[in-house]
């Protein structure tokens, strides 16, 4: 026996509405949405390919900070800063700072570029070691540690518990950068104090490079002075592909990159830093070479295109996974 049930659209809508209304009025369904919020979720590692090189960006940490114009755009008025921020969909009174060392497996060596803030920055920062292990490696497997410059958020992770954090590594840094800080009184400032503690004890295992120096096959140093006197960036080349590890050339994806002449508090020679930004970012834009920016929004990898009097950051999507 077949029973046909015909339901008009009006009846169906009324029936659904009545059922929902009844459920609402009855108030017998549990409210599962009362679970505690878990807060921001940060992936600790992202992986890319440059030819046969495996490139891992490691999130050392990220922090929310206030009063960004005390750090960026120091030479423009508040209205200009606010307008530029609004045009780029970010607030003018707060920002998020990221810290991103890079680990490169060349197939022959495991090379770490910069070491993060270190144990003193935990829990918000100083998490590079944990990110490295999330990538499937151990600190003991790191063959080479490259320091782009001597600021504390780059050399802080060289030591762990009073001992070298990468027990089997050799070290590479710029000759000019090392000499500048090493010549100063070790008690002169925060950089020299941390350098005396973390860097100088490793000096016997260090190789010192200049512009064009080679870390390994396909890994070449490039002078990018201004942020510090000997600030260096590194070109990765393999299989016809390139990637630049741009370190602190641009410290914000809008306020530094889009406005390369805006002054940054941490740039020691502001005029030279602006010239370096324009030169390096111009090269990246012209050659369509991707880059990793130490302080770019994680996973910190993207491209540059020219825009107005500066540049626009274009985050990488799937290009480096093909």
């Amino acid at each position: 026996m077949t029973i046909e049930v015909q339901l008009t659209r009006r009846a169906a809508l009324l029936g659904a509405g009545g059922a929902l209304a009844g459920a609402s009025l009855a108030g017998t369904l549990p409210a599962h949405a009362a679970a505690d919020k878990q807060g921001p979720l940060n992936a600790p590692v992202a992986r890319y390919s440059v030819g046969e090189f495996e490139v891992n960006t490691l999130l050392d940490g990220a922090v929310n900070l206030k009063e960004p114009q005390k750090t960026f755009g120091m030479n423009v008025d508040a209205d200009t800063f606010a307008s530029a921020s609004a045009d780029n969909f970010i607030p003018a009174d707060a920002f998020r700072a990221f810290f991103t060392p890079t680990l490169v497996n060349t197939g022959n060596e495991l090379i770490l570029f910069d070491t993060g803030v270190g144990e003193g920055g935990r829990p918000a920062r100083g998490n590079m070691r944990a990110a490295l292990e999330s990538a499937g490696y151990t600190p003991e497997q790191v063959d080479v540690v490259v320091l782009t410059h001597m600021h504390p958020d780059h050399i802080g992770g060289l030591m762990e518990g009073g001992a070298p954090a990468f027990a089997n590594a050799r070290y590479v840094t710029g000759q000019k950068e090392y000499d500048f800080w090493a010549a100063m009184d070790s008690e002169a400032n925060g950089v020299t104090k941390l350098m005396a503690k973390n860097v100088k004890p490793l000096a016997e295992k260090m190789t010192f490079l200049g512009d064009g120096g080679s870390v390994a096959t396909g890994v070449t140093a490039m002078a990018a002075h201004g942020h510090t006197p000997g600030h260096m960036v590194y070109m990765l080349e393999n299989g016809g592909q390139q990637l630049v590890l741009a370190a602190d050339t641009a410290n914000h994806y809008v306020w530094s990159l889009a406005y390369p002449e805006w002054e940054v508090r941490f740039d020691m020679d502001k005029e030279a830093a602006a010239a370096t930004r324009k030169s390096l970012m111009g090269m990246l834009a012209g050659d369509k070479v991707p880059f990793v920016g130490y302080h770019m929004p994680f996973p910190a990898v993207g491209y540059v295109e020219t825009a107005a009097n500066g540049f626009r950051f274009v985050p990488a999507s799937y290009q480096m996974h093909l």
Side-chain angles (χ1 to χ4, degrees):
M1 181 175 68
T2 301
I3 300 176
E4 288 190 12
V5 178
Q6 292 184 339
L7 192 63
T8 67
R9 182 173 180 274
R10 182 173 183 275
L13 290 171
L14 287 173
L20 290 173
S24 177
L25 290 171
T28 57
L29 297 178
H32 293 297
D36 291 339
K37 294 179 180 179
Q38 301 302 308
L41 180 64
N42 292 317
V45 59
R47 180 167 290 153
Y48 303 89
S49 294
V50 177
E52 295 299 316
F53 287 0
E54 177 192 270
V55 179
N56 304 267
T57 53
L58 308 175
L59 184 62
D60 188 63
V63 292
N64 293 340
L65 300 169
K66 300 292 186 181
E67 301 181 294
Q69 206 177 355
K70 287 187 175 180
T71 300
F72 304 100
M74 299 172 65
N75 55 333
V76 299
D77 61 75
D79 288 343
T80 298
F81 188 85
S83 177
S85 302
D87 288 346
N88 286 278
F89 308 98
I90 54 177
D93 60 352
F95 70 105
R96 189 164 179 80
F98 298 84
F99 304 82
T100 313
T102 298
L103 182 73
V104 178
N105 189 337
T106 69
N108 296 312
E109 290 183 302
L110 195 61
I111 307 174
L112 176 66
F113 293 82
D114 293 324
T115 66
V117 177
E119 56 193 347
R122 294 172 190 151
R125 291 171 287 185
N127 301 304
M128 182 276 300
R129 286 170 64 88
L132 185 148
E133 292 176 357
S134 293
Y137 299 103
T138 66
E140 292 74 24
Q141 289 179 291
V142 174
D143 297 296
V144 187
V145 175
V146 180
L147 303 175
T148 61
H149 62 294
M150 299 298 168
H151 278 170
D153 55 326
H154 296 256
I155 66 173
L158 280 169
M159 295 288 174
E160 184 74 19
F166 308 98
N168 300 312
R170 62 184 176 91
Y171 303 85
V172 177
T173 195
Q175 182 77 66
K176 184 174 182 179
E177 180 74 359
Y178 182 88
D179 289 349
F180 174 82
W181 297 106
M184 297 176 67
D185 184 335
S186 61
E187 295 296 315
N189 53 58
V191 177
T192 56
K193 288 178 182 179
L194 190 58
M195 186 175 170
K197 177 185 174 184
N198 284 11
V199 180
K200 286 185 176 180
L202 305 171
E204 290 185 358
K205 295 183 177 181
M206 277 188 182
T207 299
F208 299 98
L209 299 179
D211 186 28
S214 177
V215 175
T217 301
V219 183
T220 305
M222 301 167 60
H225 304 161
H227 180 65
T228 61
H231 182 262
M232 303 279 274
V233 303
Y234 290 84
M235 171 70 83
L236 306 183
E237 298 181 273
N238 187 266
Q241 298 181 348
Q242 296 179 317
L243 173 74
V244 170
L245 305 179
D248 282 14
T249 304
N251 281 350
H252 191 274
Y253 79 106
V254 173
W255 300 320
S256 285
L257 204 155
Y259 302 93
E261 294 186 351
W262 282 14
E263 292 182 356
V264 179
R265 176 161 61 102
F266 298 111
D267 288 344
M268 295 178 67
D269 184 332
K270 292 174 172 46
E271 184 176 348
T276 293
R277 269 193 291 279
K278 288 187 282 188
S279 175
L280 181 61
M281 295 304 159
M283 182 202 78
L284 297 177
D287 296 343
K288 292 183 167 46
V289 174
F291 79 106
V292 176
Y294 193 82
H295 296 292
M296 294 296 110
F298 193 80
V301 180
Y303 293 81
V304 179
E305 67 175 7
T306 56
N309 295 319
F311 306 93
R312 188 173 78 90
F313 180 59
V314 182
S317 56
Y318 56 75
Q319 304 96 322
M320 298 172 69
H321 298 288
L322 297 177

